Amino acid sequence: MIVLKFGGTSVGSVENIRKVADIVSNTRGRKIVVLSAMSGVTNSLQKIINLIELNKAEEAKKEIEELNKKYQQTVYELFGSGGKFDEGIKEMFLFNEKLISYLDKKYSDRVEKEILVQGELVSTYLFQQLMVENQENSTLIPALDFMRIDQFGEPRMDYLNEKLSSVINSHQNDDTFITQGFICENNDCEIDNLKRGGSDYTASLIGAALEVDQIQIWTDIDGMHNNDPRYVDKTFSIDEISFDEAAELAYFGAKILHPQSIIPAKEKNIPVLVKNTFSPESPGTLIHDKAKVMKIRAIAAKDQITAIKIKSYRMLMAYGFLMKVFEVFEKNKTAIDMITTSEVAVSLTIDNTAKLNEIIAELQSFGNIEVESDLSIICIAGDLAQNKKGVTSAIFNCIDEIPIRMISYGGSNYNLSFLVKTTDKIPVLNLLNDGLFSNLKEVESKNILV
Ligand code: ADP
Ligand code: ASP
Ligand code: MG
């Protein structure tokens, strides 16, 4: 059994949906196909939610109409000459009515979550209807029947295992299962989601639960690149990468993978193959535990980082001080990304500022607090074990003109990260690319990178 996940662009147009159908049909054996919403749809749903929150029902209605037009057109192009047309139009009408029904409601977290899942429900419906029309056997299994998170937002693997295995086992003769990425139920059996980009996470969780042979992430680029192609021109696809390195890059901003999506696969040692829907013949990137060691594999950047510095002459070296600091973050359910300490101060970074005021107020009893926002973490992933010579100097030589706010090295063997102003992010990514990768052959011969 394998899992194939297709992202928004892959199901973003009729032409692309047909490509996905071809890839699925050409994949032998039992498989679970996980689909995202069509590209732009989740953003559009989020816009509708924001307008409802601002009590702008008329504008929200216009956005719903736009979405409905897109769906009608998709049904027309997919089934215009086939038997599924009337049924498809009827189904899109029902989706439209559902969205319209929220215009009478006041904004709430519930309304937000119920609206956000609509995109994946539509894309999976359309895709399965296409499979029926193509006379390909397939079974649609609703993610809400098996994907559940607990009160802390963590996936319930036991539940997933039990529910999903029982559905699959009850369809012994079926090869192709289709389900929604991203969407789930929470502990109170309400509709919820796995956060933006969460379809990758769905795929990995399903793969881990069923202990599949491989998890394939099909997207709009030929695998994971050595640097962020949105900001750097001369990036290239990586053939293979270890779970640890891929997990660091995903966590620190490589948009191609949801931040948590590698962990379930790593825990069950299931290889993840990242492939391009628009170039299926390209080898893509294999994430597995046997990747050849590279000193520097790839670079990523994570934005919207806030640094908090706590200066305390009295307490820092006293035992228990850091525990008290961490307790403040724990109480406010805010994760810390980076941390550095000195004799008199500790600096740490967060990306979720929802509770920043509460955190600052509580930290003030420990000392003087300084807060700086609009920062980015630059993450360099590779086999950066501390005894490898030349790696750190190669990195910092490239960027010696750039002010660095914090550095984190040695926390794991696979990551060196540092904090810069977001305005310096693009120059830093480019300088590192030129300095570390542009002349790979020459650098390899100097044994800096490999
Ligand atoms: P999908 O809709 O298939 O989930 P995403 O847009 O979430 O696709 O992720 C693919 C995009 O991630 C690429 O088009 C690329 O712009 C971006 N990206 C960022 N960092 C990387 C990287 N290191 N390697 C490849 N793509 C990356
Ligand atoms: N549709 C969701 C999003 O746009 C989930 C995903 O595509 O992975 O975030
Ligand atoms: Mg994605």
Side-chain angles (χ1 to χ4, degrees):
M1 171 97 79
I2 68 169
V3 176
L4 299 96
K5 176 259 170 177
F6 294 88
T9 321
S10 302
V11 291
S13 68
V14 169
E15 196 190 343
N16 296 354
I17 296 173
R18 291 195 191 283
K19 287 196 172 103
V20 170
D22 285 345
I23 293 168
V24 170
S25 306
N26 292 332
T27 304
R28 291 220 196 98
R30 295 191 99 193
K31 53 204 163 276
I32 302 191
V33 178
V34 176
L35 299 183
S36 291
M38 296 175 77
S39 60
V41 167
T42 312
N43 286 346
S44 174
L45 294 170
Q46 187 63 59
K47 194 167 163 194
I48 293 163
I49 294 159
N50 297 346
L51 290 167
I52 293 176
E53 193 172 6
L54 295 168
N55 293 319
K56 294 186 174 171
E58 270 312 304
E59 283 179 51
K61 196 169 170 208
K62 276 198 197 120
E63 189 68 28
I64 294 173
E65 275 162 15
E66 285 303 309
L67 197 55
N68 192 37
K69 266 192 222 152
K70 178 186 170 106
Y71 284 156
Q72 303 266 341
Q73 180 65 22
T74 308
V75 169
Y76 176 73
E77 286 177 39
L78 269 176
F79 309 117
S81 54
K84 294 277 160 206
F85 180 70
D86 288 347
E87 221 177 305
I89 291 290
K90 221 184 276 167
E91 193 69 19
M92 292 310 107
F93 175 77
L94 294 178
F95 274 114
N96 190 53
E97 291 289 286
K98 176 97 190 158
L99 286 182
I100 294 282
S101 74
Y102 288 105
L103 295 179
D104 297 332
K105 298 188 180 151
K106 257 185 100 63
Y107 169 85
S108 68
D109 188 45
R110 264 316 64 247
V111 166
E112 167 148 6
K113 291 192 163 150
E114 287 176 19
I115 292 180
L116 267 188
V117 300
Q118 299 299 321
E120 271 71 12
L121 295 174
V122 170
S123 63
T124 44
Y125 167 80
L126 292 173
F127 185 73
Q128 210 248 338
Q129 290 295 90
L130 178 66
M131 294 294 277
V132 175
E133 190 155 276
N134 289 351
Q135 301 184 339
E136 297 271 356
N137 263 335
S138 67
T139 309
L140 186 61
I141 47 173
L144 295 178
D145 289 352
F146 60 82
M147 192 62 78
R148 186 170 282 189
I149 50 174
D150 65 16
Q151 68 269 41
F152 308 109
E154 290 299 318
R156 288 263 320 265
M157 292 308 281
D158 51 344
Y159 185 85
L160 171 54
N161 238 318
E162 183 195 319
K163 294 283 172 186
L164 193 55
S165 308
S166 106
V167 180
I168 305 278
N169 292 339
S170 66
H171 288 86
Q172 282 300 338
N173 297 324
D174 293 346
D175 268 353
T176 305
F177 299 89
I178 300 164
T179 193
Q180 299 85 19
F182 177 60
I183 76 182
C184 64
E185 277 193 349
N186 66 20
N187 219 28
D188 300 321
C189 305
E190 297 162 333
I191 288 178
D192 214 312
N193 63 67
L194 299 174
K195 310 255 164 64
R196 294 301 305 268
S199 300
D200 301 324
Y201 197 23
T202 301
S204 186
L205 290 169
I206 291 177
L210 297 179
E211 304 203 10
V212 299
D213 300 312
Q214 190 177 66
I215 298 161
Q216 298 184 354
I217 305 288
W218 289 81
T219 182
D220 57 6
I221 188 165
D222 52 350
M224 272 191 106
H225 279 215
N226 68 313
N227 203 332
D228 195 320
R230 293 169 299 173
Y231 310 115
V232 177
D233 281 340
K234 284 182 238 138
T235 64
F236 53 84
S237 169
I238 303 169
D239 302 341
E240 56 170 2
I241 179 169
S242 71
F243 286 117
D244 292 308
E245 292 164 335
E248 297 283 3
L249 291 166
Y251 184 76
F252 286 110
K255 182 181 179 251
I256 188 163
L257 291 170
H258 177 277
Q260 284 147 294
S261 58
I262 292 304
I263 294 143
K266 176 186 152 71
E267 276 170 4
K268 290 284 168 72
N269 196 13
I270 299 168
V272 179
L273 182 61
V274 184
K275 292 276 287 177
N276 188 350
T277 303
F278 310 109
S279 173
E281 61 291 345
S282 302
T285 302
L286 185 63
I287 305 169
H288 63 150
D289 68 343
K290 295 183 191 70
K292 193 182 94 189
V293 172
M294 295 273 287
K295 279 189 183 173
I296 295 177
R297 182 93 59 184
I299 304 167
K302 182 173 174 180
D303 293 337
Q304 289 172 342
I305 301 294
T306 298
I308 302 171
K309 185 191 279 182
I310 307 144
K311 253 187 175 169
S312 170
Y313 291 95
R314 288 175 291 126
M315 294 175 79
L316 186 65
M317 296 317 290
Y319 56 82
F321 177 71
L322 282 178
M323 188 187 76
K324 287 185 191 129
V325 169
F326 290 149
E327 269 170 5
V328 171
F329 288 84
E330 202 249 311
K331 196 173 134 201
N332 287 290
K333 296 196 168 35
T334 302
I336 297 168
D337 281 329
M338 268 174 90
I339 172 157
T340 56
T341 60
S342 83
E343 187 80 11
V344 291
V346 49
S347 278
L348 27 86
T349 69
I350 57 173
D351 64 353
N352 175 2
T353 50
K355 291 286 181 70
L356 183 60
N357 290 339
E358 289 87 337
I359 290 171
I360 295 170
E362 288 179 45
L363 289 177
Q364 255 148 5
S365 63
F366 301 142
N368 182 28
I369 309 300
E370 285 171 27
V371 177
E372 200 181 341
S373 49
D374 298 324
L375 301 169
S376 296
I377 295 177
I378 309 290
C379 163
I380 299 175
D383 186 33
L384 292 157
Q386 292 187 45
N387 55 0
K388 300 258 168 76
K389 282 189 191 157
V391 181
T392 45
S393 58
I395 293 169
F396 290 112
N397 280 343
C398 305
I399 51 161
D400 60 356
E401 300 283 301
I402 306 279
I404 293 175
R405 169 70 181 77
M406 276 169 76
I407 298 174
S408 170
Y409 178 51
S412 88
N413 284 344
Y414 311 100
N415 168 359
L416 181 154
S417 34
F418 55 88
L419 190 65
V420 295
K421 284 193 161 61
T422 298
T423 46
D424 285 332
K425 175 186 80 170
I426 296 178
V428 166
L429 290 178
N430 279 281
L431 285 167
L432 289 170
N433 213 61
D434 291 346
L436 300 175
F437 298 108
S438 68
N439 204 346
L440 200 57
K441 281 280 160 293
E442 190 191 327
V443 182
E444 271 176 12
S445 68
K446 288 188 196 155
N447 197 26
I448 291 178
L449 289 177
V450 184

